[in-house]
Amino acid sequence: MDNAKDKQINVNLYTRYKTFSWDVLFYYAIIFLFFTQTKGINAADVLLAESFYPIFKMVFLIPATILINSIGKRKSLIIGNSFICIAIFVYIIAFDFAFVVLGELLSAIGFIIKGICESNILYDSLEKDEKRGSIFAKIEGKGTSYYYYVDAISSVIAGFLFAVNGYIPMILCLIMTIVSIYLSTKFKD
């Protein structure tokens, strides 16, 4: 990335991207209730399916790293966000244990790829000087703090919306993952 304009685009976009894309919004406050009450899946099956997530992350760490090295960080970030979007869709249509496990697999792959790429895109976009680390920390911290504000608000809203209809928070979660995909396409290599 030799173009200073492209680097500045990445730096300016990163805070917005991190605010909406660091983790899934509208999700954690209601997901267990969504699977057990809305989908009617046994609580033990939901917990067992969710226990596969760290195993999948461990298994796919090296293949994800190889993928990122071969196709680049920007494309990998788009793919990672797409995997998460598909995982949320699978959760929405899930009707049994196997679907939840498939969603956990897709989610693990997506979050592994994102975890490797996101911060690197910002760091690579900063000028290589003695202030690089402090500028990186400031931008990263700003995006993280904004994410926590949005996450707190979305969690409260998700609880209320779940009482109206269990699918509404999941649809909003899916919309937010689509926003993440869109924002990740705006980064420059």
Side-chain angles (χ1 to χ4, degrees):
M1 190 182 338
D2 295 328
N3 190 342
K5 185 178 177 184
D6 287 348
K7 288 181 180 183
Q8 193 57 44
I9 289 170
N10 286 356
V11 170
N12 292 338
L13 176 63
Y14 188 80
T15 302
R16 269 183 289 144
Y17 172 79
K18 181 126 186 183
T19 300
F20 295 104
S21 307
W22 190 29
D23 207 350
V24 286
L25 298 169
F26 298 96
Y27 176 81
Y28 293 107
I30 56 94
I31 192 61
F32 185 77
L33 293 173
F34 177 75
F35 285 139
T36 56
Q37 290 182 5
T38 306
K39 295 308 224 167
I41 300 171
N42 184 333
D45 287 344
V46 172
L47 294 174
L48 178 61
E50 289 181 352
S51 71
F52 282 98
Y53 179 79
I55 296 168
F56 291 144
K57 284 187 83 168
M58 184 177 63
V59 168
F60 287 101
L61 180 61
I62 293 174
T65 306
I66 293 168
L67 173 76
I68 293 164
N69 286 333
S70 64
I71 67 170
K73 293 173 189 152
R74 179 184 172 274
K75 289 179 184 173
S76 297
L77 190 59
I78 294 167
I79 290 170
N81 281 309
S82 298
F83 267 97
I84 294 167
C85 185
I86 295 167
I88 298 302
F89 180 74
V90 167
Y91 292 147
I92 290 171
I93 65 168
F95 56 85
D96 67 0
F97 173 78
F99 271 81
V100 179
V101 172
L102 175 62
E104 294 295 318
L105 170 70
L106 296 169
S107 181
I109 293 170
F111 278 111
I112 284 261
I113 294 170
K114 282 179 52 151
I116 295 170
C117 295
E118 284 177 335
S119 295
N120 286 331
I121 286 178
L122 173 62
Y123 194 76
D124 291 345
S125 299
L126 297 172
E127 293 299 320
K128 295 177 180 159
D129 59 17
E130 65 277 350
K131 294 181 181 180
R132 187 181 199 187
S134 64
I135 293 170
F136 171 81
K138 181 180 175 184
I139 296 168
E140 183 80 15
K142 189 176 181 181
T144 302
S145 67
Y146 289 165
Y147 165 78
Y148 282 124
Y149 291 127
V150 172
D151 184 46
I153 293 166
S154 70
S155 293
V156 170
I157 292 170
F160 286 114
L161 293 176
F162 185 82
V164 174
N165 184 327
Y167 285 94
I168 295 173
M170 292 303 290
I171 302 258
L172 291 173
C173 181
L174 182 64
I175 290 168
M176 295 310 294
T177 59
I178 293 169
V179 168
S180 297
I181 294 169
Y182 172 75
L183 289 173
S184 63
T185 62
K186 297 298 181 186
F187 283 111
K188 305 292 183 186
D189 275 323

